[in-house]
Amino acid sequence: MKCASCQAEVSGDSRFCSKCGSAVRGAAEAQLSFTKTMTTPQPGLATGNLLAGKYQIQDEVGHGGMGIVYRAEDIKLKRPVALKFLPPEWTQDKEARERFLQEARAAAALSHPHICTIYEVDESSEQLFIAMEYIEGEVLRERSRRGPLPLEDALNLSAQAAEGLEAAHQKGITHRDIKSANIMVTDKGQAKIMDFGLAKLRGGSSLTREGATIGTVAYMSPEQARGEEVDA
């Protein structure tokens, strides 16, 4: 069958696409879920709605196979936040929920200028969401598509991302999906690592079956591509 997000071939017993990391089900069901995510407004998330008594929804800023992100305002602390929701069709899937919570736990354990800050994880109308720092800027992938970065900028952003990864490694966290699509660049040129959904936590339970391959093929280490143990 094919991944509904990137159309890559996926083995019948796989739960996540080896190319883009999106959650998958049967081909027909996955396509239906993907279409629903893309075209159907999420109930209760209209502009102006209030979640958890303090997050006022403003607009949707992104979506993917394992998350829908909204810009909101924390009306108590008077600051912008990003709210990442587990898509409704995955709320009853135990493995999907655990991966979502693992992302929150991994990122929340880190405090570094080059890692997106996690504020909390909560639930509204049986939908899990992560409240995180709202970053004004652009995904590095989109910036790169406009043309090659100047050498100085490329080196600077690479060094910043490496510093963020080093901080994660010191906490026993291996990202396992670092790529341009998971790095934001702020308006001031600061790199911010995002999306710890595939992260491996030292001492934590593994969500990856032995011999299974998850991540994004073009960015994997040889060990990860072979489904072997991955470390810093």
Side-chain angles (χ1 to χ4, degrees), residues 90-159:
W90 290 106
T91 56
Q92 302 304 315
D93 186 286
K94 184 178 179 180
E95 183 178 343
R97 288 174 65 91
E98 185 57 31
R99 281 195 183 279
F100 195 77
L101 290 171
Q102 177 164 294
E103 174 181 359
R105 288 193 291 266
L110 304 170
S111 178
H112 192 273
H114 301 308
I115 296 176
C116 179
T117 302
I118 297 294
Y119 299 139
E120 67 171 333
V121 60
D122 206 338
E123 193 165 1
S124 176
S125 300
E126 299 185 353
Q127 279 189 271
L128 283 172
F129 69 88
I130 301 171
M132 65 185 78
E133 171 186 12
Y134 179 75
I135 300 171
E136 293 279 1
E138 183 178 26
V139 177
L140 181 56
R141 179 179 61 183
E142 300 306 318
R143 168 62 184 85
S144 302
R145 284 175 174 172
R146 298 202 303 271
L149 275 68
L151 179 60
E152 183 177 356
D153 292 348
L155 291 174
N156 187 32
L157 291 173
S158 297

Side-chain angles (χ1 to χ4, degrees), residues 10-24:
V10 181
S11 60
D13 62 347
S14 295
R15 301 290 295 281
F16 295 86
C17 175
S18 62
K19 182 177 181 180
C20 70
S22 296
V24 296

Side-chain angles (χ1 to χ4, degrees), residues 1-101:
M1 64 180 179
K2 292 187 176 181
C3 170
S5 297
C6 69
Q7 298 303 305
E9 290 294 335
V10 181
S11 60
D13 62 347
S14 295
R15 301 290 295 281
F16 295 86
C17 175
S18 62
K19 182 177 181 180
C20 70
S22 296
V24 296
R25 295 179 180 174
E29 185 178 1
Q31 184 60 46
L32 176 62
S33 295
F34 181 72
T35 303
K36 179 180 177 182
T37 300
M38 292 286 284
T39 61
T40 306
Q42 301 308 310
L45 298 184
T47 299
N49 275 20
L50 194 64
L51 299 179
K54 61 180 177 179
Y55 298 123
Q56 190 167 46
I57 297 294
Q58 295 182 336
D59 53 17
E60 182 181 320
V61 294
H63 52 250
M66 282 297 290
I68 305 169
V69 182
Y70 289 84
R71 181 168 59 96
E73 181 184 2
D74 184 332
I75 61 174
K76 291 186 177 180
L77 296 179
K78 303 297 182 183
R79 66 181 177 185
V81 297
L83 302 181
K84 181 176 181 178
F85 284 81
L86 184 66
E89 60 268 26
W90 290 106
T91 56
Q92 302 304 315
D93 186 286
K94 184 178 179 180
E95 183 178 343
R97 288 174 65 91
E98 185 57 31
R99 281 195 183 279
F100 195 77
L101 290 171

